[in-house]
Amino acid sequence: MFNKSALGTAVAMALALHSYQIQAQQAEENVSPDDIEVVVVKGLRGSLARSVDLKRENIQVVDSIIAEDIGKFPDNNVVEAMQRISGVQVTDRGAGEVSRVSIRGLDDVTTTINGRNIFTASGRSVALADIPASLLNRVDVYKTRSARLIETGIAGQIDIHTQRPFDFDGSQVVLAARGIYQDKSEKTDPNISALLSNRWQINDQKFGALLNVSYAETHYRDQSVTAGAMVPFFSANPPPGFTPFERIPTVINGQNVWQPGLETGLPFTSGSTLPINGVQYDYLLSRDAVFASDLTGKRERPAVNVSLQFAPNDRSEYIFEAFYNGFRNESNNSLLFSFVDWWGNLGANPGSSINLFEGTNIIKSRTVGAPYMFTSGDLLTGKTDSYVYALGGKWDLSNNLRLRSELVYQESKYEESFFAMRTERVADSVTVDFNSGNGLPAFSFGPATDVADATQWAMAQLYDNANSREGDALTWTLDADYRLNNGVISNIRFGGRYDDRDANEGQRTQDSPICFSGNAACQIANYPGLLNINSGFFDGKSNVPRSWVAANGYYIRDNADMFRNIYNQEVNAGMLTGDALQLTRNFEVNETTAALYAEAEFELELAGKTLDGEFGVRYVNVNTDMQFAEASASASTSKFLPSLMLRYALTDELLARASYGETLRRPGFAQLNPTIIYVEDVTNIGYGTASGGNPNLDPTTSKNYDLSLEWYFDDASMLYGAAFKRKIEGFVVDFRRSVEYEDYTYILSQPDNASNGKLEGFEFGLVYFPQNLPALLDGFGIQASYTILDSSQDIPITNNEGEVIGTSNTPLFGVSDSSYSVVLAYEKDKFDMRLSYVWREDFLNNYEAPQFANPLGVYRNPEKSLDFQLSFAATENLSITFDATNLTDEVFQSYYQYPSTHNFGSSIYSRTFALGFRYKM
């Protein structure tokens, strides 16, 4: 395993190698890096024009976004900037931003910075949202892969280019600041950046230095209302020994009555029955709970990029770069939760309050007497520090041979703590409409229940968790280009990459039962700062409580040892305190990857037109040593990955491309951990859940086919269409079975390579700035894209013993059948502005825990966002900016497969409005 003390040796190796891998190589694969002209892009139109040129010049299928000027990306992070790229979808909006990106529907993306693979903590990928847009020069999205690109990432590769001193002719100083207002949190946050760069020349020697820093702060508020999972209830005519509208257990008299976790859920047509003691009885489907979440928090993201370049002559060049990005987050969640599955206290006419969805057995609304309810206040604290150091060089050994090499060391650590307290009570009643309209739940409590009255609540359970995730890697690359002076083969590239990666995770978990209010120390009145009351919840969008009492997460965290000792004293909780709070290491993994590649560029004439391209193969060998809490394992895999890319110039403006390549996705390190974690039942279903990993998982592989036709009909304008297909083998899916642990039943889920799938579709794009428009419209342009996807995967169906009893065919997770974006741009004199709209169709997001009677699949409703950016050049050096996001104040929703009857969650997030300036000298 790699020891951090080896960094000095690594630096010495790099100095000996004089290594560097120039970033422009990835931007224009068919052009020598030394032949690339540094282009400083200015303005919205210039940015789009350059992205059009990069797509046209590249042999691979690549789409790019480019800063409109130095330090000018009108977005908060990389993910938000990418949503305007054709074929790219973003999701997981929350905490004041979007955080997840997918390419053509797949989210297995390899991310590099200046060609270097990066990661966050023990993960395979990087938290893209942690990278500020203000540090970027451009972002390239590779939808096809050459042999010399890193083999991982079925979806594609995102290469982030930062600024370098040799990008500029001389000195550059850029200062930028924005104040960003979040309307839900009612806070204005700073987003500041600075770039200092210069270059000097003494005789033939050139030297450059650049410092780029950024700091962003965000106060956010996310609010959601959720109708809980479905479970079956008896009707008004139950079997002997049962109560009307009683919740039906899974097993009665030793016989299985109903199976939780079915792909399509229990039948919900009117009159559906279940067997009880050999007799069929009608049942109803209703929710087990209804709850509301009010999440507030503060996030900070500092980032620094340092770049030093030195060219002693025109045949060699050296570079040192350091990149740091950090993450600090504190979030307090105030949760209001009420069970609605109690069948007692229903009065003399228990069915009078129940209303069904027409033609179904699903309860739409009801009143429940004496429901148990609780609030929970919890504080989640997270911290990430990630560092990347690179030392390298490139040199021309002859007129035909160029050598590049680089040594990279990176380390990343994430730490998290969670502290929560519940308060509880029994309400007099709760009246709930699970879908009061447009998928929004509504609920209210009886007259004797005031959820905002602190005197009506009692201290309950305490939860105390923490974890850490760490990773580091030492990577060495060597690449060579050899130009041939004649013949069909014009250039040969070959090289290798060696990566030594370590990862580990640790955690601690403890909790306490209810601190009974009869105990003197468990009286809420003893702790004046314990409770917090929120206000203005959900903006009046649904008839739900606007405020309630919950534990103050900051207060309980700041007094954590006091509460641990109180629970130890009053209920003998056995909670650790002080220095005894230590993390237990879950696993340690060391993985070495060795890759070799060779590829050739060719050019010939076919039917009087130019046909060029490249073909190659990449060989990769991976050895993984794993040490877990109670076991160890090793694995070794190797793979040859061929690739072929053809480009045919039908005319000077019309290009056709065809591509074939193979890529793979390695399982996450946590997925390899066989340690089983057991979680007891918290929703009265009758059994708990358990999960563990599988050290025998293989990489998922994909065969990728692409065709495209591109028409470059004017300056800064293009129209294109593409067809693509991915044949994917070995998707990792969970196998479920029933197990007994410490005299309790659990449903255990463990992963296996048990699914195959496919993804195919079409992609269309347009960038157009019309010529010869009337003076007022001159400067108008449009950027638009539309993607059509069709996906499927086979998922095995298992019984309680884990035996495969069938196969279900579902869409791939996270894939919308269609999506589009439209950007209306206008650039005139000192003004440029952009109005952008993105939309994606509903999609299967995840599978619910297999404990309930609803369908397993959780779908997201169509997602959309309308954003606006405006820039005014007040002087030659000073620009004023205004931008806004989520202008239409959307409600983001989810459902269980059938949106009209199986609605699930509804969430609202902030609109943002930002005013800023950028000063350049």
Side-chain angles (χ1 to χ4, degrees):
M1 299 179 69
F2 175 66
N3 190 313
K4 294 180 176 61
S5 65
L7 181 58
T9 305
V11 171
M13 290 170 57
L15 287 170
L17 288 167
H18 291 140
S19 57
Y20 164 64
Q21 182 176 5
I22 194 162
Q23 73 175 22
Q25 170 214 351
Q26 277 120 10
E28 301 183 35
E29 296 192 35
N30 59 323
V31 181
S32 162
D34 289 344
D35 294 337
I36 295 173
E37 177 187 2
V38 174
V39 177
V40 178
V41 175
K42 291 187 177 181
L44 176 58
R45 181 169 180 169
S47 168
L48 292 174
R50 184 60 180 147
S51 67
V52 169
D53 290 342
L54 284 173
K55 184 176 183 70
R56 185 175 191 173
E57 295 163 2
N58 211 301
I59 289 181
Q60 298 296 320
V61 176
V62 180
D63 287 295
S64 304
I65 49 174
I66 300 173
E68 296 168 22
D69 203 343
I70 302 167
K72 186 183 177 184
F73 255 103
D75 301 280
N76 296 322
N77 61 46
V78 175
V79 179
E80 292 184 2
M82 292 180 60
Q83 62 184 328
R84 291 181 294 274
I85 296 179
S86 62
V88 172
Q89 296 89 34
V90 301
T91 189
D92 284 358
R93 184 176 293 274
E97 63 186 12
V98 288
S99 59
R100 189 171 71 175
V101 62
S102 62
I103 301 174
R104 292 173 170 173
L106 299 174
D107 62 3
D108 178 44
V109 178
T110 290
T111 303
T112 56
I113 291 184
N114 300 321
R116 306 167 190 133
N117 189 33
I118 58 173
F119 52 81
T120 298
S122 59
R124 293 284 191 185
S125 59
V126 69
L128 268 174
D130 287 349
I131 301 176
S134 56
L135 265 61
L136 306 184
N137 177 298
R138 79 168 188 266
V139 178
D140 295 332
V141 177
Y142 286 83
K143 299 175 181 177
T144 60
R145 309 288 276 281
S146 67
R148 79 179 197 277
L149 293 177
I150 296 172
E151 65 278 353
T152 56
I154 291 174
Q157 179 172 324
I158 298 171
D159 191 19
I160 299 166
H161 298 259
T162 59
Q163 306 283 1
R164 288 176 169 174
F166 283 5
D167 291 346
F168 312 116
D169 290 333
S171 172
Q172 291 286 342
V173 177
V174 180
L175 305 175
R178 296 159 67 221
I180 306 174
Y181 176 74
Q182 305 265 346
D183 75 330
K184 298 296 185 290
S185 66
E186 299 182 340
K187 298 282 188 180
T188 300
D189 300 308
N191 188 314
I192 57 178
S193 64
L195 180 144
L196 307 173
S197 179
N198 206 351
R199 57 185 292 173
W200 303 268
Q201 183 162 348
I202 302 175
N203 298 324
D204 292 333
Q205 296 184 342
K206 294 181 291 184
F207 178 75
L210 178 144
L211 173 66
N212 203 175
V213 297
S214 171
Y215 174 80
E217 183 178 295
T218 303
H219 288 83
Y220 53 87
R221 184 183 187 188
D222 299 347
Q223 302 159 75
S224 65
V225 181
T226 305
M230 286 183 168
V231 289
F233 294 78
F234 288 119
S235 68
N237 301 301
F242 292 93
T243 301
F245 307 107
E246 182 175 343
R247 181 168 167 172
I248 304 176
T250 56
V251 178
I252 296 177
N253 296 330
Q255 300 295 316
N256 288 329
V257 175
W258 65 279
Q259 174 68 47
L262 296 176
E263 179 71 31
T264 57
L266 288 183
F268 56 93
T269 55
S270 179
S272 295
T273 61
L274 289 173
I276 311 296
N277 298 325
V279 180
Q280 296 292 328
Y281 287 89
D282 291 350
Y283 67 90
L284 302 176
L285 290 172
S286 189
R287 311 304 179 106
D288 64 342
V290 63
F291 53 95
S293 170
D294 194 352
L295 177 73
T296 57
K298 175 186 176 183
R299 180 181 59 249
E300 300 172 274
R301 285 197 174 106
V304 180
N305 180 49
V306 175
S307 181
L308 305 176
Q309 289 180 284
F310 174 58
N313 52 55
D314 61 359
R315 302 186 68 84
S316 61
E317 188 176 300
Y318 308 97
I319 191 167
F320 170 79
E321 286 189 312
F323 183 81
Y324 163 77
N325 66 283
F327 170 83
R328 307 286 186 271
N329 182 72
E330 285 190 339
S331 61
N332 182 79
N333 187 35
S334 179
L335 176 70
L336 174 65
F337 187 104
S338 177
F339 284 102
V340 291
D341 60 350
W342 177 233
W343 54 91
N345 302 85
L346 293 181
N349 188 7
S352 62
S353 72
I354 292 177
N355 295 293
L356 305 181
F357 286 99
E358 185 176 353
T360 76
N361 65 352
I362 299 175
I363 295 177
K364 179 182 183 297
S365 62
R366 67 183 304 188
T367 295
V368 176
Y372 172 76
M373 60 182 301
F374 64 84
T375 64
S376 176
D378 59 68
L379 190 75
L380 178 69
T381 303
K383 174 185 176 182
T384 303
D385 290 299
S386 299
Y387 303 86
V388 181
Y389 307 97
L391 183 63
K394 65 96 178 178
W395 57 97
D396 292 334
L397 300 182
S398 69
N399 291 334
N400 294 346
L401 180 62
R402 179 179 299 111
L403 197 63
R404 298 173 306 280
S405 187
E406 187 170 76
L407 193 69
V408 180
Y409 174 72
Q410 61 179 309
E411 60 180 353
S412 179
K413 183 175 182 179
Y414 175 72
E415 297 175 306
E416 180 182 278
S417 64
F418 174 86
F419 204 80
M421 180 188 290
R422 285 185 179 180
T423 57
E424 65 173 3
R425 62 158 298 154
V426 175
D428 53 342
S429 65
V430 59
T431 298
V432 56
D433 188 338
F434 298 111
N435 189 345
S436 64
N438 299 317
L440 289 168
F443 64 97
S444 60
F445 297 95
T449 300
D450 183 357
V451 294
D453 182 355
T455 65
Q456 296 190 15
W457 296 92
M459 291 169 59
Q461 297 91 343
L462 194 70
Y463 301 89
D464 178 17
N465 308 321
N467 65 71
S468 69
R469 300 192 285 271
E470 299 180 61
D472 61 54
L474 181 67
T475 307
W476 176 64
T477 59
L478 179 66
D479 302 273
D481 289 359
Y482 187 77
R483 292 187 178 182
L484 303 178
N485 295 323
N486 50 54
V488 172
I489 305 297
S490 59
N491 195 40
I492 297 175
R493 297 191 185 97
F494 54 91
R497 177 178 181 269
Y498 180 82
D499 180 77
D500 187 342
R501 171 81 194 275
D502 291 328
N504 66 75
E505 293 187 3
Q507 72 170 27
R508 63 169 179 83
T509 301
Q510 59 181 0
D511 55 66
S512 170
I514 293 172
C515 192
F516 295 105
S517 58
N519 298 350
C522 298
Q523 298 293 326
I524 287 178
N526 293 335
Y527 313 102
L530 175 59
L531 297 183
N532 181 64
I533 301 177
N534 62 346
S535 62
F537 178 75
F538 219 64
D539 289 357
K541 294 181 181 295
S542 183
N543 182 23
V544 295
R546 301 296 301 277
S547 64
W548 59 84
V549 166
N552 184 331
Y554 297 95
Y555 179 83
I556 60 175
R557 189 272 310 271
D558 293 343
N559 298 278
D561 261 357
M562 179 185 76
F563 283 110
R564 292 178 185 123
N565 286 321
I566 288 171
Y567 277 73
N568 285 342
Q569 174 185 332
E570 299 301 322
V571 294
N572 195 25
M575 302 189 81
L576 301 177
T577 62
D579 294 337
L581 293 166
Q582 300 294 324
L583 302 186
T584 299
R585 186 64 58 87
N586 288 337
F587 68 80
E588 295 183 55
V589 175
N590 173 252
E591 184 175 85
T592 59
T593 302
L596 299 172
Y597 75 89
E599 64 182 19
E601 290 184 2
F602 65 90
E603 182 177 328
L604 54 87
E605 188 173 289
L606 179 65
K609 309 293 182 182
T610 298
L611 172 68
D612 63 357
E614 60 185 24
F615 59 90
V617 65
R618 186 178 185 90
Y619 170 77
V620 59
N621 176 262
V622 181
N623 293 290
T624 307
D625 294 319
M626 298 163 276
Q627 183 66 48
F628 308 112
E630 300 177 355
S632 61
S634 297
S636 180
T637 62
S638 59
K639 186 78 172 175
F640 283 96
L641 303 169
S643 63
L644 170 66
M645 188 73 195
L646 303 175
R647 181 175 60 175
Y648 188 51
L650 297 169
T651 69
D652 291 341
E653 292 82 26
L654 194 62
L655 288 178
R657 303 179 195 260
S659 171
Y660 172 79
E662 296 183 16
T663 50
L664 55 85
R665 172 172 66 192
R666 299 192 186 110
F669 292 128
Q671 289 180 302
L672 302 173
N673 185 1
T675 303
I676 297 174
I677 298 174
Y678 296 90
V679 180
E680 291 188 1
D681 178 21
V682 294
T683 58
N684 297 331
I685 193 67
Y687 51 83
T689 59
S691 61
N694 179 358
N696 299 314
L697 291 176
D698 292 322
T700 303
T701 60
S702 177
K703 296 181 178 180
N704 313 317
Y705 308 83
D706 291 82
L707 293 171
S708 67
L709 187 63
E710 304 159 10
W711 180 30
Y712 299 89
F713 57 89
D714 207 343
D715 291 339
S717 299
M718 68 171 174
L719 175 67
Y720 71 91
F724 49 88
K725 184 175 184 177
R726 306 287 182 262
K727 295 179 65 177
I728 305 169
E729 295 184 356
F731 270 127
V732 175
V733 295
D734 285 337
F735 270 77
R736 297 188 300 273
R737 56 191 172 95
S738 178
V739 297
E740 296 292 322
Y741 177 71
E742 295 184 349
D743 298 323
Y744 197 79
T745 301
Y746 294 85
I747 299 297
L748 171 63
S749 295
Q750 289 181 295
D752 202 356
N753 298 98
S755 173
N756 298 323
K758 69 173 183 177
L759 173 75
E760 54 191 12
F762 300 91
E763 184 180 287
F764 305 94
L766 170 70
V767 178
Y768 182 39
F769 279 86
Q771 304 290 327
N772 303 316
L773 291 175
L776 184 62
L777 297 179
D778 186 35
F780 170 80
I782 185 171
Q783 179 186 16
S785 66
Y786 181 61
T787 304
I788 303 170
L789 299 173
D790 180 31
S791 69
S792 64
Q793 68 178 115
D794 297 324
I795 297 180
I797 301 172
T798 59
N799 59 19
N800 284 343
E801 287 69 44
E803 300 168 336
V804 177
I805 58 175
T807 301
S808 173
N809 188 270
T810 72
L812 295 179
F813 294 114
V815 176
S816 294
D817 287 348
S818 62
S819 61
Y820 67 85
S821 69
V822 178
V823 179
L824 301 179
Y826 186 71
E827 188 174 69
K828 187 73 170 180
D829 299 327
K830 297 182 178 182
F831 288 91
D832 67 65
M833 63 188 70
R834 173 165 53 194
L835 183 68
S836 59
Y837 182 76
V838 295
W839 178 91
R840 62 178 302 184
E841 196 172 350
D842 51 357
F843 58 94
L844 175 62
N845 186 69
N846 63 279
Y847 268 179
E848 172 72 283
Q851 298 177 275
F852 307 105
N854 46 259
L856 272 180
V858 178
Y859 289 75
R860 298 275 186 91
N861 273 13
E863 297 183 350
K864 48 190 175 293
S865 180
L866 179 67
D867 304 333
F868 176 75
Q869 292 93 26
L870 170 68
S871 178
F872 171 65
T875 70
E876 184 178 351
N877 297 326
L878 177 65
S879 296
I880 307 298
T881 63
F882 171 78
D883 51 269
T885 66
N886 190 26
L887 284 171
T888 51
D889 197 15
E890 299 294 333
V891 177
F892 293 82
Q893 295 181 301
S894 57
Y895 61 91
Y896 293 117
Q897 192 164 342
Y898 309 103
S900 60
T901 54
H902 291 64
N903 58 298
F904 186 40
S906 298
S907 303
I908 58 174
Y909 307 109
S910 284
R911 292 175 296 175
T912 68
F913 304 90
L915 185 65
F917 76 89
R918 189 175 58 87
Y919 185 75
K920 174 183 170 184
M921 56 183 174

